[in-house]
Amino acid sequence: FNVASMGTEPQVQSQHVLFLCHGMGGDQSDFEAWFGIFEARFPDWKCIPIQSIAKGSRFVGDSLDDLAQRAGGEVAAELTKLANDFSHLTLHMLGHSMGGLVLRGALPVICETASALPVRIDFGHYLSLSTPHLGVQSAWSSPLHFWKNLSKFTSFVSSQLVQLAIQDGSATELPYLVQLADPSGPYIAGLRRFRTRTTVSCIGGGALVP
């Protein structure tokens, strides 16, 4: 037992960090109410809204994979900065609507960064709210959403709606949402790293998410 060594070892500094990703046509203000809830319940957590996809997430905006790459780069940059101040990070993610898909698509970039940083990074919770993990479709009960069945006609403008409707596949490439769900693919591998994975949706009357 070396008395001289007491108090000389660096203390482990831990930080929980929550990234929030909005849906189509949203921005960081969508989570203002959530910030108040989290600040009251988890005052030591750092809550970071993803801001880089606001413009591209508009209706018939950028493709899901482009949004995911942008979001992944933003999360990776934030983790790199936090690694300068903390030796242990616990990563949480919350995605609303399309934002839940964007976060899933961003996971390979995020996981690669997490593995490369010289700090311990644990994956805590992944939570999606009304995210169309199975794609979007229109029902007779929601005629105002019939556009979702015609999304292939918007492909010359953007592949966003085509991807959401799972109509973007080809002879050589699976639809993007199918790629996200591939059990042997990098997206599910990233999702498995989270301690808990929760999806929340309406049990009835869900016109937007089947």
Side-chain angles (χ1 to χ4, degrees):
F1 183 76
N2 187 355
V3 178
S5 67
M6 293 180 59
T8 60
E9 295 184 1
Q11 294 183 348
V12 175
Q13 293 182 313
S14 299
Q15 176 69 60
H16 285 263
V17 55
L18 169 67
F19 289 96
L20 304 98
C21 188
H22 60 77
M24 183 185 294
D27 58 36
Q28 63 177 0
S29 65
D30 293 0
F31 293 109
E32 287 180 355
W34 284 86
F35 293 147
I37 294 172
F38 281 113
E39 287 173 1
R41 187 165 183 180
F42 307 108
D44 297 329
W45 285 30
K46 185 175 182 64
C47 298
I48 303 175
I50 292 176
Q51 303 180 50
S52 59
I53 69 166
K55 183 177 180 180
S57 66
R58 68 190 186 281
F59 183 73
V60 195
D62 295 341
S63 66
L64 294 182
D65 47 315
D66 284 345
L67 294 174
Q69 287 296 313
R70 203 170 305 147
E74 183 176 347
V75 172
E78 290 289 346
L79 291 177
T80 301
K81 288 192 293 185
L82 289 168
N84 293 324
D85 300 320
F86 301 96
S87 56
H88 177 207
L89 299 172
T90 301
L91 173 65
H92 309 282
M93 291 186 169
L94 187 157
H96 171 241
S97 191
M98 188 175 71
L101 297 174
V102 171
L103 288 177
R104 287 175 58 193
L107 284 176
V109 174
I110 295 170
C111 290
E112 181 179 359
T113 299
S115 298
L117 291 174
V119 298
R120 174 184 169 185
I121 298 182
D122 292 330
F123 286 66
H125 307 287
Y126 168 89
L127 172 63
S128 69
L129 306 173
S130 293
T131 292
H133 296 289
L134 302 179
V136 296
Q137 62 183 13
S138 179
W140 290 109
S141 60
S142 55
L144 293 180
H145 298 132
F146 188 70
W147 58 266
K148 291 181 285 189
N149 296 340
L150 302 175
S151 58
K152 62 181 179 180
F153 296 110
T154 68
S155 59
F156 69 95
V157 178
S158 166
S159 60
Q160 183 189 99
L161 300 185
V162 184
Q163 290 175 323
L164 288 172
I166 319 182
Q167 297 179 1
D168 56 313
S170 67
T172 59
E173 189 173 26
L174 292 172
Y176 185 66
L177 295 194
V178 176
Q179 294 180 42
L180 291 184
D182 182 357
S184 61
Y187 305 105
I188 291 296
L191 202 57
R192 287 195 185 105
R193 295 186 64 171
F194 287 90
R195 184 164 57 88
T196 64
R197 300 164 294 275
T198 306
T199 61
V200 179
S201 188
C202 300
I203 61 173
L208 289 175
V209 181

